[in-house]
Amino acid sequence: MFEKYFSKNAQQMQGSEIREFFKLTEKPEVISFAGGFPNKACLPTKEVEEISSRLLVEAEEGMLQYSPTEGQEMLRKYIVKFMAKKGIDIEVDNVLITSGSQQGLDLVSKIFVDPGDKILTEAPSYVGGLGAIRNYQGDIISIAVDDDGIKVDILEQKLKDLASKGKTPKFIYLIADFNNPTGLTISKKRRKRLVELAEKYGVLILEDDPYSKLRYNGIDEPAIKSFDKEGHVIYLGSFSKIFIPGVRIGWVVAHKEIIQKLILAKQSTDLCTNSFGQRLIATCGEEGIIDKQIEKLQEFYRKKRDKTLESLAKHFPIEASWTEPDGGFYTWVELPSNLNSKEILVKAIDNNVAFVTGSAFYVDDQGNNAFRLSFSQPDIDKIEEGIYRLSKTIKRELVKKNEIQKHIG
Amino acid sequence: MFEKYFSKNAQQMQGSEIREFFKLTEKPEVISFAGGFPNKACLPTKEVEEISSRLLVEAEEGMLQYSPTEGQEMLRKYIVKFMAKKGIDIEVDNVLITSGSQQGLDLVSKIFVDPGDKILTEAPSYVGGLGAIRNYQGDIISIAVDDDGIKVDILEQKLKDLASKGKTPKFIYLIADFNNPTGLTISKKRRKRLVELAEKYGVLILEDDPYSKLRYNGIDEPAIKSFDKEGHVIYLGSFSKIFIPGVRIGWVVAHKEIIQKLILAKQSTDLCTNSFGQRLIATCGEEGIIDKQIEKLQEFYRKKRDKTLESLAKHFPIEASWTEPDGGFYTWVELPSNLNSKEILVKAIDNNVAFVTGSAFYVDDQGNNAFRLSFSQPDIDKIEEGIYRLSKTIKRELVKKNEIQKHIG
């Protein structure tokens, strides 16, 4: 009935396949590797309760009143220190506080993307990043990845091709650490190269970093932003995975000129991010509570990651391959190309185990034989059982497909 | 340096004049009638502290985890009851929870406004509403108002003119109760007529209602939405003025088909509104704390309103006129057309009193001789002194202009 009123932006908005399936995974008997959200067993509830009660007395207005659009000074200053520890040297004016890093994705798309603008992304890539770009009718060009992350040679070839047609993409969207959905990390060498390419071809980089603090082995890679001299890299941070998602606090780090434009965009988008969450996060940050929580989470999720990889090796068929992430929440499984992960998911749910199908993370017709496993949700003592159930479903499908093959042959 | 990267949306984003001036009004010696935010003396701090502490124990995940994009079920159900009391009969599926009603303005603009689309608004109108529409390059057409609100005859003439050119505006943006900036309320007769016009000309209405519960005399007018049979009216609500702004909780009520599209848009805009605030507001609502707070606020702001109008009558020159609002935060002052409120503001701030200039609320070159006074901010025992200071500044300007006039004459 209202179709004729909708904008062109609205007409091509798409529901997330992930969200549609979540309802099916909510039955208590399902062992779910679907949701990419923090585990409830490790929420810092007591700390939040203590600090917020105290702050409501100490900083009444800072909690309950409107905040400046750019964010509370105290939180912006904490972000400056937080970024310094990652080797990123900035000032308060380089920081915008956002309502979760999803709002960072939205605002960056809002101020840069005109309909038809080319945006380069890893393939597969984060659903919410792709969605934000598509909401402004950006034309997404997918670049393949390998174990060292985005293939920079293919990327450069694409940039050359576009340049030869007089086209410059607006930005390259990347999750450099423990990618969602692949779990992969871009190598240091490629990070440097990415900044060189950005400078050479006059394209921006949007580095989305919700996971880098959740590293379970190896040493931290420097952020892409840390190689940036000229302001080509926009960095998005978030407290959702490393502390709590429920207050929706993220941030953008960028050149001051870009931050100024983002502030203008945010003014008419939601006026300001919730004050309660800003003051809470800033205080928990300053008092070392966030750092302690990160250490706890590293311990907590490392065990789940280990159990998941161990169980995959033990139970999954030889035809399957998967990534071995050094951090984050995800491993990415690929099956023989004649298997379809959507068909498998239907049967898996009957078998009380769930995941997210691979095609959700592509803008074209790829990923049909792949899926994402998130090890953040299931209890540690359910992980092996979940992987075992899933392996049975997959093996049954393999047998079936092989019989059909034989029959045809 | 980044100008060439910015989208067309971004290129025409404008800073709010209001915000620019706020910094000047923050000196403690300034009596400020500028900010349209709730008074800190009346924040329900104790109640928020008690409820949030309790909820962190009772509903840990409901406070700290992600929420569904459409909003928490408990809060949506409370909104259904809240709207029923306003004579608006809806179901949970007609409700979307937003990050403040500013996000409602943004999302509605996002799903309806293509560049160049006509949007009709009252003139003057709310800065944040105009900004949201402009962020998507909507073409705003201003309709004049009188004491009964928007002039529906002029509006109909405009709709006819546009129809004769084959054009249908996407929507009419209205604040029906205690308008920001005028304080005016649209009469019941005109509200009905607005819905008739919407149906006749196939245009939507966006009814923005942050203030209607803050009525200080007279009886409530039915919401425009309460006359809507066919789904032409989209209603925006907010807890910022009637409870607290710091958790950024607002809502949209609309036809289910529109709500579905708004949910899609919100998914990629900020995933979900903060859970902490949603659960807090729903609980305070269900337990009658919000109703009690509204009663307190009515009493509190009524006195300020009365004192403001009394002081204006006592001190302002005969050449000035102003509105007499039945609720909300604002009165709108008009001066002789040869006076410029921007010039007066500069002198007023020297004289330690502040307001917002009228031109901020127009998209064209109107309102230069007008300004908005918000009585929500100044302490009640400072109001008369503030108005007195302002009257002196204005009288001095009047004398000066008259002398120039004489000199020229």
Side-chain angles (χ1 to χ4, degrees):
Chain A
M1 172 180 167
F2 296 96
E3 204 54 46
K4 64 176 173 183
Y5 294 99
F6 290 137
S7 64
K8 292 195 180 70
N9 281 339
Q11 281 164 23
Q12 43 81 61
M13 284 175 191
Q14 289 173 20
S16 152
E17 282 184 54
I18 296 187
R19 282 181 48 88
E20 304 307 314
F21 268 110
F22 273 172
K23 280 162 200 163
L24 298 172
T25 69
E26 277 168 4
K27 293 184 294 180
E29 60 273 28
V30 170
I31 299 174
S32 178
F33 297 90
F37 37 92
N39 193 293
K40 66 177 173 185
C42 220
L43 293 170
T45 311
K46 203 173 135 278
E47 291 84 347
V48 169
E49 200 269 314
E50 280 174 18
I51 299 289
S52 61
S53 292
R54 202 187 82 204
L55 289 176
L56 277 163
V57 177
E58 278 177 15
E60 199 182 3
E61 272 207 284
M63 298 292 270
L64 301 184
Q65 192 56 278
Y66 289 103
S67 286
T69 302
E70 59 272 24
Q72 293 189 1
E73 188 77 1
M74 182 182 175
L75 182 54
R76 296 170 92 201
K77 282 183 177 163
Y78 172 65
I79 298 294
V80 169
K81 286 191 265 182
F82 192 90
M83 296 309 291
K85 283 195 216 159
K86 284 189 74 71
I88 299 172
D89 180 28
I90 51 162
E91 294 169 11
V92 164
D93 289 345
N94 297 110
V95 180
L96 169 70
I97 304 302
T98 56
S99 303
S101 69
Q102 185 67 45
Q103 188 182 47
L105 292 167
D106 176 62
L107 294 177
V108 167
S109 299
K110 198 173 207 163
I111 71 161
F112 290 117
V113 181
D114 279 317
D117 274 353
K118 311 290 178 205
I119 310 295
L120 302 172
T121 70
E122 293 152 315
S125 185
Y126 169 53
V127 178
L130 301 176
I133 295 161
R134 278 203 287 219
N135 270 5
Y136 298 91
Q137 302 175 64
D139 182 14
I140 293 168
I141 299 173
S142 304
I143 307 292
V145 302
D146 63 20
D147 282 353
D148 282 338
I150 189 162
K151 291 183 174 177
V152 284
D153 294 341
I154 296 185
L155 176 71
E156 177 159 27
Q157 192 52 55
K158 197 70 202 173
L159 288 168
K160 265 190 202 161
D161 290 351
L162 287 167
S164 73
K165 292 174 197 156
K167 281 185 182 154
T168 307
K170 283 290 173 75
F171 58 82
I172 309 165
Y173 171 60
L174 299 165
I175 300 179
D177 299 270
F178 323 130
N179 183 289
N180 178 1
T182 64
L184 295 169
T185 292
I186 301 177
S187 69
K188 186 173 169 183
K189 204 176 141 195
R190 288 196 185 169
R191 289 174 195 235
K192 268 192 191 164
R193 184 90 185 106
L194 282 162
V195 175
E196 287 163 13
L197 290 175
E199 289 169 0
K200 181 171 172 191
Y201 291 92
V203 55
L204 303 175
I205 290 176
L206 179 57
E207 179 179 20
D208 186 7
D209 179 18
Y211 304 107
S212 70
K213 287 277 178 186
L214 300 179
R215 176 174 278 278
Y216 315 135
N217 58 267
I219 51 158
D220 287 349
E221 295 291 355
I224 300 175
K225 179 71 184 161
S226 70
F227 297 108
D228 180 30
K229 297 282 173 291
E230 299 176 8
H232 282 83
V233 183
I234 302 164
Y235 173 98
L236 303 182
S238 168
F239 292 103
S240 293
K241 307 302 193 289
I242 62 175
F243 197 63
I244 46 170
V247 291
R248 313 301 299 119
I249 305 290
W251 70 93
V252 185
V253 171
H255 190 282
K256 288 174 195 181
E257 197 185 319
I258 293 174
I259 293 292
Q260 280 307 314
K261 193 62 95 173
L262 289 170
I263 294 172
L264 273 188
K266 184 171 164 71
Q267 262 185 44
S268 302
T269 300
D270 70 352
L271 281 182
C272 65
T273 291
N274 78 91
S275 305
F276 203 109
Q278 289 191 60
R279 185 57 63 109
L280 178 72
I281 293 283
T283 308
C284 289
E286 289 294 353
E287 300 189 4
I289 295 168
I290 292 178
D291 288 340
K292 262 186 225 152
Q293 176 69 6
I294 290 170
E295 280 174 33
K296 253 197 231 174
L297 292 174
Q298 286 167 340
E299 198 60 28
F300 181 80
Y301 290 122
R302 179 188 292 117
K303 287 182 191 151
K304 285 174 182 276
R305 191 267 322 252
D306 290 346
K307 178 57 89 178
T308 303
L309 294 180
E310 202 183 289
S311 307
L312 283 166
K314 190 164 162 192
H315 298 290
F316 260 39
I318 188 126
E319 292 89 342
S321 63
W322 53 89
T323 59
E324 301 199 335
D326 293 325
F329 286 175
Y330 313 107
T331 176
W332 177 254
V333 182
E334 292 194 348
L335 301 174
S337 61
N338 61 340
L339 260 64
N340 183 305
S341 66
K342 278 186 196 164
E343 288 169 20
I344 292 174
L345 180 57
V346 175
K347 282 159 191 160
I349 288 175
D350 284 343
N351 204 8
N352 288 329
V353 59
F355 55 77
V356 178
T357 53
S359 56
F361 304 95
Y362 289 92
V363 291
D364 46 22
D365 193 33
Q366 293 186 70
N368 293 314
N369 62 325
F371 57 88
R372 185 190 79 177
L373 291 180
S374 168
F375 47 81
S376 70
Q377 285 311 295
D379 291 343
I380 186 126
D381 57 355
K382 295 282 177 63
I383 286 178
E384 184 169 356
E385 172 63 20
I387 296 293
Y388 175 67
R389 288 181 193 171
L390 191 48
S391 71
K392 285 207 300 186
T393 305
I394 292 169
K395 283 174 182 166
R396 231 177 279 135
E397 283 300 291
L398 273 169
V399 169
K400 218 193 291 172
K401 293 283 173 185
N402 288 342
E403 274 170 9
I404 293 169
Q405 213 96 39
K406 263 190 245 160
H407 199 74
I408 294 169
Chain B
M1 170 182 170
F2 297 96
E3 203 54 46
K4 64 177 173 183
Y5 294 99
F6 291 138
S7 64
K8 292 195 180 69
N9 281 338
Q11 281 165 21
Q12 42 81 61
M13 284 174 189
Q14 289 174 18
S16 153
E17 285 185 51
I18 296 187
R19 283 180 47 87
E20 303 307 313
F21 268 110
F22 273 172
K23 280 162 202 163
L24 298 174
T25 70
E26 277 167 4
K27 294 184 292 182
E29 60 273 28
V30 170
I31 299 174
S32 177
F33 296 90
F37 36 92
N39 194 291
K40 66 177 173 182
C42 220
L43 292 170
T45 311
K46 203 172 136 278
E47 292 84 345
V48 169
E49 200 268 312
E50 279 173 18
I51 299 290
S52 61
S53 292
R54 201 185 84 205
L55 289 176
L56 278 162
V57 178
E58 277 177 17
E60 201 182 1
E61 273 208 284
M63 299 291 271
L64 301 185
Q65 192 55 278
Y66 290 104
S67 285
T69 303
E70 60 272 23
Q72 292 190 1
E73 187 79 1
M74 183 183 174
L75 181 54
R76 295 170 93 201
K77 282 183 176 162
Y78 172 66
I79 299 293
V80 169
K81 285 192 265 182
F82 192 91
M83 296 311 291
K85 284 195 213 158
K86 285 188 73 73
I88 298 171
D89 181 28
I90 51 162
E91 293 168 12
V92 163
D93 288 346
N94 296 110
V95 180
L96 169 70
I97 304 303
T98 56
S99 303
S101 68
Q102 185 67 45
Q103 189 184 44
L105 291 166
D106 177 62
L107 293 177
V108 166
S109 300
K110 197 172 206 163
I111 71 161
F112 289 117
V113 180
D114 279 317
D117 275 352
K118 309 291 178 202
I119 310 294
L120 302 172
T121 70
E122 294 152 315
S125 184
Y126 169 54
V127 178
L130 302 175
I133 296 161
R134 277 202 288 219
N135 271 5
Y136 298 91
Q137 303 175 63
D139 181 15
I140 293 169
I141 298 174
S142 304
I143 308 292
V145 302
D146 62 20
D147 282 352
D148 282 338
I150 190 164
K151 290 183 174 179
V152 284
D153 294 341
I154 296 184
L155 175 71
E156 179 161 25
Q157 192 53 53
K158 197 71 201 170
L159 288 168
K160 264 189 203 162
D161 290 352
L162 287 167
S164 73
K165 292 174 198 157
K167 282 188 179 149
T168 308
K170 283 289 173 74
F171 58 81
I172 309 165
Y173 171 60
L174 300 165
I175 302 180
D177 298 87
F178 323 130
N179 182 289
N180 178 3
T182 63
L184 295 169
T185 292
I186 301 177
S187 69
K188 185 172 170 183
K189 203 175 141 195
R190 287 196 185 168
R191 290 174 193 236
K192 267 192 191 164
R193 184 89 185 105
L194 282 162
V195 175
E196 286 164 12
L197 291 175
E199 290 170 358
K200 183 171 169 188
Y201 291 92
V203 54
L204 303 175
I205 289 175
L206 179 57
E207 178 180 21
D208 185 7
D209 180 17
Y211 304 107
S212 71
K213 288 275 179 187
L214 299 179
R215 175 175 277 279
Y216 315 134
N217 57 268
I219 52 159
D220 286 348
E221 295 290 355
I224 300 174
K225 179 71 185 160
S226 69
F227 297 109
D228 180 30
K229 297 282 174 289
E230 298 176 9
H232 282 82
V233 183
I234 302 164
Y235 173 99
L236 303 182
S238 168
F239 291 104
S240 293
K241 307 301 193 288
I242 63 175
F243 198 60
I244 46 170
V247 290
R248 313 300 299 121
I249 305 291
W251 69 94
V252 186
V253 171
H255 190 282
K256 289 174 195 181
E257 197 184 317
I258 293 174
I259 293 292
Q260 280 307 313
K261 192 62 93 173
L262 289 169
I263 293 171
L264 273 188
K266 184 172 164 72
Q267 261 185 47
S268 303
T269 300
D270 70 352
L271 281 183
C272 65
T273 291
N274 76 91
S275 305
F276 202 111
Q278 289 192 60
R279 185 57 63 108
L280 177 73
I281 293 284
T283 308
C284 289
E286 290 293 352
E287 299 189 4
I289 295 168
I290 292 178
D291 288 341
K292 261 186 224 150
Q293 176 69 6
I294 291 171
E295 279 174 34
K296 253 196 229 172
L297 293 174
Q298 286 167 341
E299 196 62 27
F300 180 80
Y301 290 122
R302 179 188 292 116
K303 287 181 193 153
K304 286 174 180 279
R305 191 266 324 251
D306 290 347
K307 177 58 87 179
T308 303
L309 295 180
E310 205 182 289
S311 307
L312 283 167
K314 192 165 159 191
H315 298 290
F316 259 38
I318 188 123
E319 291 89 341
S321 64
W322 54 89
T323 59
E324 301 200 336
D326 293 325
F329 285 176
Y330 313 107
T331 178
W332 178 252
V333 181
E334 292 194 347
L335 301 174
S337 59
N338 62 340
L339 262 65
N340 184 304
S341 66
K342 278 186 196 166
E343 289 170 19
I344 292 173
L345 180 57
V346 175
K347 283 159 190 160
I349 288 175
D350 283 345
N351 203 8
N352 288 329
V353 58
F355 55 77
V356 178
T357 52
S359 54
F361 304 96
Y362 289 91
V363 292
D364 45 22
D365 192 32
Q366 292 185 71
N368 293 315
N369 61 327
F371 57 87
R372 184 190 80 176
L373 292 180
S374 169
F375 48 80
S376 71
Q377 284 312 296
D379 289 345
I380 185 127
D381 58 355
K382 295 280 176 66
I383 287 179
E384 185 170 355
E385 173 63 19
I387 296 292
Y388 174 68
R389 288 182 193 171
L390 191 47
S391 72
K392 285 206 300 186
T393 305
I394 293 170
K395 282 173 183 166
R396 231 177 279 136
E397 282 301 292
L398 273 169
V399 169
K400 216 191 293 172
K401 293 284 175 186
N402 287 341
E403 276 171 8
I404 294 169
Q405 212 97 39
K406 262 191 245 159
H407 199 74
I408 295 169

